[in-house]
Amino acid sequence: MPVSPASPSTARAINDRLALGLLQSEGPLTANQLKQLTGLSRPSVADLVERLQGSGLITVVGEAGAQRRGPNARLYGIVADRAHLAALDVRTDSVSVVVTDLLGAVLAETSAPVDGDTEAALERALDLVGHTAREGGVQRLHTIGIGAPGLIDPATGDLHDTTSLPAWHRRLAGALHGRLGARVLVENETNLAARAERRDGAAHDRDTFVLLWLGDGVGAAVVLDGVLRRGASGGAGEIGFLPVPRTGSLPSATGCEGGFHSLACAAALCELGAEHGLLRPGMAAADVVRQAVETGEDAFLDAVADRVAVGAAATAAILDPGCVVLGGEVGRAGGTVLAARVADRVTAMSPLRTEVRAGTLGGAAVLRGALLAARDAAQDELFGPPAGH
């Protein structure tokens, strides 16, 4: 069946988006550089530059070339303050916030404890976002990305009600939208970490992989053929509920104790560290693992790898992703030393070839992923064709 040619307005929108994508990835460019990179004619480039300037999306940011004068030397760049964004990493007892411009340049960031399950906790979180925006000189936020533990309903985008999460988590998105008027996106923290590791970290060259999150809780994000897979109810990757040996019980519908969570969560690894005489007051699981790597505590690292490999081998057997990234604070702390040990065990347990990599972003991956989600959503809206086209 023949394909109808694009209408002039559609062609213009495609060309504009192509040019904006190049300006985002390459930085400021001259009209001639845009012509070379897009393959468009000189008149077409001149038209799109005029359109994008008229819409306030790009502006002249400098000059290039030996002469550094004249129209051909003008460097065009995206107007970074056309929209401002916020990203939140919401934990059970704390919130981290970063505020950026449209290109992701950080204007302000902060973290603070948010304890309890009361109206005051919600107000504390709301105030933290507003204060961070003001610190960055931002009057209005365009889009806010939130990373939180828990299930995200694939139909509504809402955080599922669970017994383990504070109620204010589920109310935060609506409250932020109501107070600030911004578009608010909520995503599971492990999925956001996978997004960040794929864009900027250990999975940058992979379209198919599983990120195994190792932190206070455990989880998995499944990326197949470049697409994040959520499952029928948004629960794909809830590996904490996976029944495993050596926990002495089974998980239930209301709690993952007895599942893989009890084998590899931060508390379990701290207990393991205490058994090996490595745990000191104030140390988190990541601290224990990092110290073990630095001091060559092979027995402890082998024991950790035995546990982590159970989850990694399960994902390999079911999904055959070819690559498992050990994410979260513990994954980063273990680095290539822990990843190599886990890889050896997965190879021994599975006939499927599975590379195991250490995540490079650690706990910061959630905030980075939330920012990427907010930025992509804002740019989709701002860089898209005008209404009616």
Side-chain angles (χ1 to χ4, degrees):
M1 182 175 179
V3 178
S4 301
S7 67
S9 61
T10 300
R12 287 193 295 270
I14 293 171
N15 292 341
D16 290 354
R17 188 61 191 261
L18 175 59
L20 287 164
L22 288 167
L23 290 170
Q24 179 190 29
S25 62
E26 303 294 330
L29 298 168
T30 64
N32 188 53
Q33 288 170 325
L34 281 170
K35 174 181 176 297
Q36 293 174 346
L37 292 170
T38 62
L40 298 172
S41 66
R42 190 176 300 277
S44 294
V45 169
D47 287 345
L48 74 83
V49 166
E50 183 178 353
R51 279 195 305 275
L52 295 176
Q53 281 188 293
S55 63
L57 288 173
I58 71 171
T59 189
V60 177
V61 296
E63 294 183 333
Q67 301 301 319
R68 292 188 180 275
R69 63 176 182 269
N72 292 335
R74 292 173 185 163
L75 278 169
Y76 297 96
I78 292 174
V79 178
D81 61 1
R82 174 66 185 271
H84 293 101
L85 317 170
L88 281 68
D89 180 1
V90 180
R91 304 295 174 101
T92 55
D93 58 358
S94 67
V95 175
S96 297
V97 184
V98 61
V99 173
T100 76
D101 63 23
L102 184 59
L103 292 178
V106 175
L107 304 176
E109 55 186 327
T110 190
S111 297
V114 179
D115 297 321
D117 193 10
T118 64
E119 190 69 24
L122 177 62
E123 284 296 320
R124 172 67 170 149
L126 294 172
D127 289 344
L128 191 66
V129 177
H131 173 75
T132 308
R134 290 190 295 274
E135 284 288 306
V138 174
Q139 300 300 314
R140 179 182 179 276
L141 291 169
H142 182 282
T143 304
I144 301 173
I146 301 176
L151 300 180
I152 305 298
D153 188 318
T156 66
D158 295 333
L159 191 65
H160 277 203
D161 185 6
T162 68
T163 57
S164 61
L165 291 179
W168 67 266
H169 277 209
R170 300 187 297 277
R171 298 171 54 201
L172 181 58
L176 280 170
H177 176 71
R179 178 170 296 188
L180 302 178
R183 179 183 184 183
V184 182
L185 312 171
V186 185
E187 178 61 278
N188 172 267
E189 59 182 358
T190 305
N191 289 343
L192 289 176
R195 183 176 193 149
E197 289 285 3
R198 185 174 182 228
R199 185 81 67 94
D200 301 321
H204 67 277
D205 59 342
R206 285 281 183 170
D207 287 333
T208 295
F209 70 98
V210 168
L211 180 130
L212 190 58
W213 179 265
L214 302 172
D216 290 339
V218 297
V222 180
V223 179
L224 304 178
D225 299 323
V227 179
L228 177 71
R229 306 295 178 172
R230 301 179 182 278
S233 62
E238 284 295 313
I239 199 170
F241 287 88
L242 179 74
V244 295
R246 300 203 306 272
T247 60
S249 63
L250 292 173
S252 71
T254 58
C256 53
E257 292 75 16
F260 182 61
H261 172 89
S262 294
L263 201 62
C265 71
L269 296 185
C270 280
E271 290 180 6
L272 184 64
E275 293 173 10
H276 285 259
L278 301 178
L279 184 67
R280 302 288 182 269
M283 291 180 73
D287 299 324
V288 180
V289 172
R290 186 177 299 105
Q291 175 183 282
V293 170
E294 293 172 350
T295 57
E297 299 288 345
D298 290 338
F300 171 74
L301 292 172
D302 285 341
V304 173
D306 287 343
R307 296 183 175 205
V308 174
V310 172
T315 65
I318 297 169
L319 299 170
D320 188 19
C323 179
V324 173
V325 176
L326 304 184
E329 295 90 344
V330 171
R332 185 180 184 186
T336 57
V337 172
L338 178 60
R341 280 174 160 83
V342 173
D344 288 343
R345 286 153 177 81
V346 173
T347 297
M349 285 189 281
S350 171
L352 306 175
R353 184 174 179 179
T354 306
E355 182 181 3
V356 180
R357 299 180 179 181
T360 59
L361 302 178
V366 176
L367 202 59
R368 177 61 179 162
L371 177 59
L372 289 171
R375 192 177 76 182
D376 288 350
Q379 290 182 349
D380 281 344
E381 180 182 323
L382 294 172
F383 293 175
H389 284 242

